[in-house]
């Protein structure tokens, strides 16, 4: 799912999202770790314990889909088994029912196949097409992720909905606006309304540096890191063929961005690979940026 995955998950993870309520699971929720032991490691898109009004808490599992997947029902069944086994080992979650939902945000027509109906087994997760969700509760949410998600919902590509979203972004604290614009950009692409959204932003004078977004910045930093490592390795291999250790890329990956930049500068003047190895070997490994 790539960049869509990051933005879609961010909406639920910001807290106080109304999307779970729109999926039939209203109430305050506490996100749980999406990773749990199984025969092979699997990570859920979103998992939370929801305290429902006047009802027993439940475990909400949501998988986000941007395109049809014929294996989705089988995948949800595997998740169901893993979640149930894991929850049975957690004192505060033991015995809670698992409520699973496939949240589809794609544009192609799709509904998963019918239930798995076999001997001693009947299984069918809930399925919700975002285009069937009423956007109004989301537009009124305090969670700016909910607000931007509204463009994926019913009538979300209508001008009045888009303008409401942009008005909410403008009214948000300055620190929150880059994330709001980043999420809106991704969701607009899913609905092919990016050009219209950009035109409306220009009309309203909305200008945001996406490098300030907590969602975009890690992607930019990772790309810069990968580029720096690649340039260093390519330069050294071109000048010192056969002398570059196979594990040098992994060593460089462990450097802080500042140290990596210094290694790049050294690589342009190095007279041998030893110059680079001597520079990075004694360094304490700094935090990645």
């Amino acid at each position: 799912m790539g960049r869509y995955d990051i933005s879609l998950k961010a909406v639920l993870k910001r807290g106080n999202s109304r999307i779970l309520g729109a999926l039939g699971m209203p109430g305050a929720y506490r996100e749980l770790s999406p990773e749990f032991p199984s025969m092979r490691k699997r990570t859920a898109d979103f998992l939370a314990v929801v305290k429902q009004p006047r009802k027993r808490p439940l475990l909400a599992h949501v998988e986000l889909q941007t395109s049809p997947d014929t294996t989705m029902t089988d995948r949800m069944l595997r998740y169901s088994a893993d979640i149930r086994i894991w929850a049975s080992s957690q004192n505060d979650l033991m015995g809670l029912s698992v409520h699973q939902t496939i949240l589809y945000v794609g544009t192609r027509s799709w509904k998963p196949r019918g239930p798995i109906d076999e001997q001693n087994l009947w299984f069918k997760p809930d399925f919700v097409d975002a285009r069937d969700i009423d956007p109004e509760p989301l537009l009124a949410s305090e969670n700016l992720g909910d607000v931007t998600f509204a463009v994926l919902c019913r009538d979300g590509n209508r001008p009045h909905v888009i303008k409401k979203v942009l008005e909410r972004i403008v009214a948000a604290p300055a620190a929150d606006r880059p994330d709001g614009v980043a999420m809106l950009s991704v969701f607009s692409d899913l609905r092919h309304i990016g050009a219209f959204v950009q035109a409306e932003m220009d009309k309203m004078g909305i200008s945001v540096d996406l490098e300030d977004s907590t969602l975009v910045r890690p992607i930019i930093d990772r790309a810069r890191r990968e580029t720096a490592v690649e340039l260093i390795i390519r330069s050294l291999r071109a000048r010192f063929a056969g002398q570059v250790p196979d594990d040098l890329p992994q060593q460089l990956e462990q450097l802080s961005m500042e140290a990596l930049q210094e290694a790049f500068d050294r690589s342009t003047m190095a007279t041998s690979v030893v110059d680079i190895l001597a520079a990075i070997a004694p360094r304490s490994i700094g935090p990645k940026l």
Side-chain angles (χ1 to χ4, degrees), residues 120-285:
N120 300 321
L121 174 63
W122 193 95
F123 177 80
K124 183 181 181 182
D126 285 350
F127 175 84
V128 175
D129 189 321
R131 290 169 293 191
D132 294 329
I133 296 175
D134 180 1
E136 292 304 323
L138 300 181
L139 288 169
S141 174
E142 296 179 359
N143 181 335
L144 198 58
D146 282 352
V147 175
T148 58
F149 190 88
V151 301
L152 296 174
C153 300
R154 185 172 64 241
D155 297 326
N157 59 352
R158 298 291 181 87
H160 73 280
V161 172
I162 295 171
K163 289 178 181 178
K164 281 186 181 180
V165 172
L166 292 173
E167 288 169 357
R168 285 294 310 278
I169 290 176
V170 170
D176 293 340
R177 291 173 201 158
D179 278 355
V181 171
M183 287 186 285
L184 178 59
S185 174
V186 170
F187 299 156
S188 297
D189 283 349
L190 279 169
R191 289 293 181 261
H192 308 299
I193 55 174
F196 180 79
V197 169
Q198 186 58 56
E200 290 299 311
M201 288 179 60
D202 292 342
K203 286 181 185 178
M204 297 174 67
I206 301 176
S207 178
V208 171
D209 187 350
L210 288 181
E211 287 200 23
D212 293 333
S213 168
T214 61
L215 302 177
V216 176
R217 185 72 200 187
I219 298 174
I220 294 174
D221 288 343
R222 185 167 61 252
R224 286 174 175 167
R225 172 178 295 280
E226 292 172 352
T227 299
V229 170
E230 181 182 357
L231 289 175
I232 292 171
I233 297 300
R234 287 175 58 185
S235 174
L236 293 176
R237 284 176 176 166
R239 296 164 59 199
F240 311 110
Q243 300 179 42
V244 180
D246 291 339
D247 65 344
L248 184 56
Q250 288 72 31
Q251 293 185 57
L252 292 171
E253 276 288 348
Q254 298 305 310
L255 297 178
S256 68
M257 196 62 199
E258 180 182 9
L260 193 58
Q261 181 61 53
E262 183 178 335
F264 173 76
D265 293 339
R266 283 176 174 268
S267 72
T268 62
M269 301 178 290
T271 57
S272 71
V273 174
V274 175
D275 291 346
I276 296 296
L277 296 178
I280 68 175
R283 279 186 175 276
S284 58
I285 302 302

Side-chain angles (χ1 to χ4, degrees), residues 20 47 51 90 96 98 107 147 201 220 275 289:
L20 288 182
L47 183 65
K51 295 181 179 179
Q90 311 297 311
L96 297 187
V98 181
T107 55
V147 175
M201 288 179 60
I220 294 174
D275 291 346
L289 297 180

Side-chain angles (χ1 to χ4, degrees), residues 27-75:
Y29 65 87
R30 171 172 59 88
E31 185 184 1
L32 303 171
S33 171
E35 297 182 1
F36 30 84
S38 66
M39 292 183 65
R40 64 188 183 89
K41 185 175 180 180
R42 238 188 323 272
T43 301
D45 281 346
F46 185 78
L47 183 65
V49 57
V50 181
K51 295 181 179 179
Q52 301 186 105
R54 298 182 297 278
K55 291 183 181 180
R56 194 180 184 205
L58 58 79
L59 290 173
H61 168 219
V62 180
E63 286 297 308
L64 301 152
Q65 279 296 117
T66 58
S67 59
D69 184 347
T70 58
T71 69
M72 200 65 205
T73 302
D74 291 326
R75 286 173 52 200

